[in-house]
mmCIF file of all heavy atoms in Angstrom:
data_model
loop_
_atom_site.group_PDB
_atom_site.id
_atom_site.type_symbol
_atom_site.label_atom_id
_atom_site.label_comp_id
_atom_site.label_asym_id
_atom_site.label_seq_id
_atom_site.Cartn_x
_atom_site.Cartn_y
_atom_site.Cartn_z
ATOM 1 N N ILE K 72 -3.786 2.336 -9.573
ATOM 2 C CA ILE K 72 -3.069 2.858 -10.735
ATOM 3 C C ILE K 72 -3.850 4.019 -11.343
ATOM 4 O O ILE K 72 -3.307 5.078 -11.651
ATOM 5 C CB ILE K 72 -2.865 1.750 -11.791
ATOM 6 C CG1 ILE K 72 -1.854 0.716 -11.296
ATOM 7 C CG2 ILE K 72 -2.387 2.344 -13.111
ATOM 8 C CD1 ILE K 72 -1.656 -0.436 -12.265
ATOM 9 N N ALA K 73 -5.157 3.816 -11.501
ATOM 10 C CA ALA K 73 -6.006 4.849 -12.098
ATOM 11 C C ALA K 73 -6.027 6.105 -11.248
ATOM 12 O O ALA K 73 -5.932 7.233 -11.765
ATOM 13 C CB ALA K 73 -7.419 4.305 -12.287
ATOM 14 N N LYS K 74 -6.149 5.935 -9.968
ATOM 15 C CA LYS K 74 -6.264 7.094 -9.084
ATOM 16 C C LYS K 74 -4.990 7.929 -9.100
ATOM 17 O O LYS K 74 -5.032 9.160 -9.072
ATOM 18 C CB LYS K 74 -6.597 6.634 -7.672
ATOM 19 C CG LYS K 74 -7.980 5.986 -7.579
ATOM 20 C CD LYS K 74 -8.220 5.411 -6.200
ATOM 21 C CE LYS K 74 -9.615 4.796 -6.108
ATOM 22 N NZ LYS K 74 -9.769 3.600 -6.928
ATOM 23 N N TYR K 75 -3.845 7.272 -9.151
ATOM 24 C CA TYR K 75 -2.594 8.023 -9.129
ATOM 25 C C TYR K 75 -2.293 8.691 -10.464
ATOM 26 O O TYR K 75 -1.481 9.609 -10.530
ATOM 27 C CB TYR K 75 -1.445 7.103 -8.720
ATOM 28 C CG TYR K 75 -1.445 6.754 -7.250
ATOM 29 C CD1 TYR K 75 -0.644 5.734 -6.755
ATOM 30 C CD2 TYR K 75 -2.250 7.447 -6.346
ATOM 31 C CE1 TYR K 75 -0.633 5.414 -5.406
ATOM 32 C CE2 TYR K 75 -2.254 7.133 -5.007
ATOM 33 C CZ TYR K 75 -1.444 6.120 -4.526
ATOM 34 O OH TYR K 75 -1.443 5.807 -3.196
ATOM 35 N N MET K 76 -2.920 8.257 -11.535
ATOM 36 C CA MET K 76 -2.776 8.958 -12.806
ATOM 37 C C MET K 76 -3.687 10.175 -12.874
ATOM 38 O O MET K 76 -3.323 11.211 -13.426
ATOM 39 C CB MET K 76 -3.112 8.013 -13.972
ATOM 40 C CG MET K 76 -2.043 6.991 -14.274
ATOM 41 S SD MET K 76 -2.326 6.164 -15.843
ATOM 42 C CE MET K 76 -3.742 5.143 -15.455
ATOM 43 N N MET K 77 -4.872 10.057 -12.317
ATOM 44 C CA MET K 77 -5.935 11.037 -12.532
ATOM 45 C C MET K 77 -5.934 12.182 -11.518
ATOM 46 O O MET K 77 -6.347 13.292 -11.840
ATOM 47 C CB MET K 77 -7.282 10.301 -12.488
ATOM 48 C CG MET K 77 -8.465 11.126 -12.894
ATOM 49 S SD MET K 77 -9.966 10.146 -13.166
ATOM 50 C CE MET K 77 -9.809 8.779 -12.027
ATOM 51 N N TRP K 78 -5.462 11.908 -10.294
ATOM 52 C CA TRP K 78 -5.530 12.918 -9.246
ATOM 53 C C TRP K 78 -4.152 13.316 -8.747
ATOM 54 O O TRP K 78 -3.229 12.509 -8.723
ATOM 55 C CB TRP K 78 -6.350 12.406 -8.059
ATOM 56 C CG TRP K 78 -7.824 12.544 -8.261
ATOM 57 C CD1 TRP K 78 -8.557 13.684 -8.208
ATOM 58 C CD2 TRP K 78 -8.755 11.496 -8.564
ATOM 59 N NE1 TRP K 78 -9.887 13.421 -8.461
ATOM 60 C CE2 TRP K 78 -10.038 12.079 -8.679
ATOM 61 C CE3 TRP K 78 -8.640 10.121 -8.735
ATOM 62 C CZ2 TRP K 78 -11.183 11.356 -8.959
ATOM 63 C CZ3 TRP K 78 -9.775 9.393 -9.019
ATOM 64 C CH2 TRP K 78 -11.029 10.002 -9.128
ATOM 65 N N ASP K 79 -4.052 14.563 -8.328
ATOM 66 C CA ASP K 79 -2.883 15.035 -7.591
ATOM 67 C C ASP K 79 -3.141 14.872 -6.105
ATOM 68 O O ASP K 79 -4.289 14.756 -5.656
ATOM 69 C CB ASP K 79 -2.630 16.521 -7.893
ATOM 70 C CG ASP K 79 -2.065 16.751 -9.272
ATOM 71 O OD1 ASP K 79 -1.199 15.967 -9.698
ATOM 72 O OD2 ASP K 79 -2.496 17.719 -9.943
ATOM 73 N N SER K 80 -2.068 14.902 -5.349
ATOM 74 C CA SER K 80 -2.156 14.773 -3.905
ATOM 75 C C SER K 80 -1.541 16.002 -3.248
ATOM 76 O O SER K 80 -0.698 16.674 -3.851
ATOM 77 C CB SER K 80 -1.429 13.501 -3.456
ATOM 78 O OG SER K 80 -1.726 13.196 -2.115
ATOM 79 N N LEU K 81 -1.960 16.287 -2.034
ATOM 80 C CA LEU K 81 -1.452 17.467 -1.341
ATOM 81 C C LEU K 81 0.061 17.425 -1.248
ATOM 82 O O LEU K 81 0.746 18.429 -1.461
ATOM 83 C CB LEU K 81 -2.080 17.552 0.061
ATOM 84 C CG LEU K 81 -1.881 18.868 0.821
ATOM 85 C CD1 LEU K 81 -2.494 20.041 0.069
ATOM 86 C CD2 LEU K 81 -2.479 18.769 2.221
ATOM 87 N N LEU K 82 0.618 16.247 -0.949
ATOM 88 C CA LEU K 82 2.068 16.050 -0.902
ATOM 89 C C LEU K 82 2.425 14.860 -1.771
ATOM 90 O O LEU K 82 1.557 14.098 -2.194
ATOM 91 C CB LEU K 82 2.535 15.843 0.543
ATOM 92 C CG LEU K 82 2.264 17.018 1.496
ATOM 93 C CD1 LEU K 82 2.617 16.619 2.927
ATOM 94 C CD2 LEU K 82 3.044 18.260 1.080
ATOM 95 N N GLU K 83 3.723 14.663 -2.033
ATOM 96 C CA GLU K 83 4.192 13.573 -2.874
ATOM 97 C C GLU K 83 5.264 12.767 -2.140
ATOM 98 O O GLU K 83 5.720 13.141 -1.054
ATOM 99 C CB GLU K 83 4.767 14.122 -4.191
ATOM 100 C CG GLU K 83 3.722 14.712 -5.124
ATOM 101 C CD GLU K 83 2.829 13.659 -5.762
ATOM 102 O OE1 GLU K 83 3.308 12.539 -6.015
ATOM 103 O OE2 GLU K 83 1.649 13.958 -6.012
ATOM 104 N N ILE K 84 5.664 11.654 -2.741
ATOM 105 C CA ILE K 84 6.762 10.843 -2.230
ATOM 106 C C ILE K 84 7.957 11.024 -3.158
ATOM 107 O O ILE K 84 7.840 10.903 -4.379
ATOM 108 C CB ILE K 84 6.377 9.355 -2.160
ATOM 109 C CG1 ILE K 84 5.298 9.139 -1.097
ATOM 110 C CG2 ILE K 84 7.590 8.478 -1.865
ATOM 111 C CD1 ILE K 84 5.767 9.345 0.332
ATOM 112 N N GLY K 85 9.129 11.322 -2.568
ATOM 113 C CA GLY K 85 10.332 11.578 -3.343
ATOM 114 C C GLY K 85 11.152 10.331 -3.609
ATOM 115 O O GLY K 85 10.778 9.220 -3.220
ATOM 116 N N PRO K 86 12.307 10.481 -4.272
ATOM 117 C CA PRO K 86 13.100 9.345 -4.731
ATOM 118 C C PRO K 86 13.702 8.494 -3.628
ATOM 119 O O PRO K 86 14.120 7.360 -3.877
ATOM 120 C CB PRO K 86 14.196 10.002 -5.583
ATOM 121 C CG PRO K 86 14.286 11.403 -5.089
ATOM 122 C CD PRO K 86 12.893 11.775 -4.696
#
Side-chain angles (χ1 to χ4, degrees):
I72 290 177
K74 294 174 179 68
Y75 286 167
M76 285 192 289
M77 189 168 31
W78 278 286
D79 287 319
S80 192
L81 192 61
L82 299 173
E83 290 289 327
I84 293 291

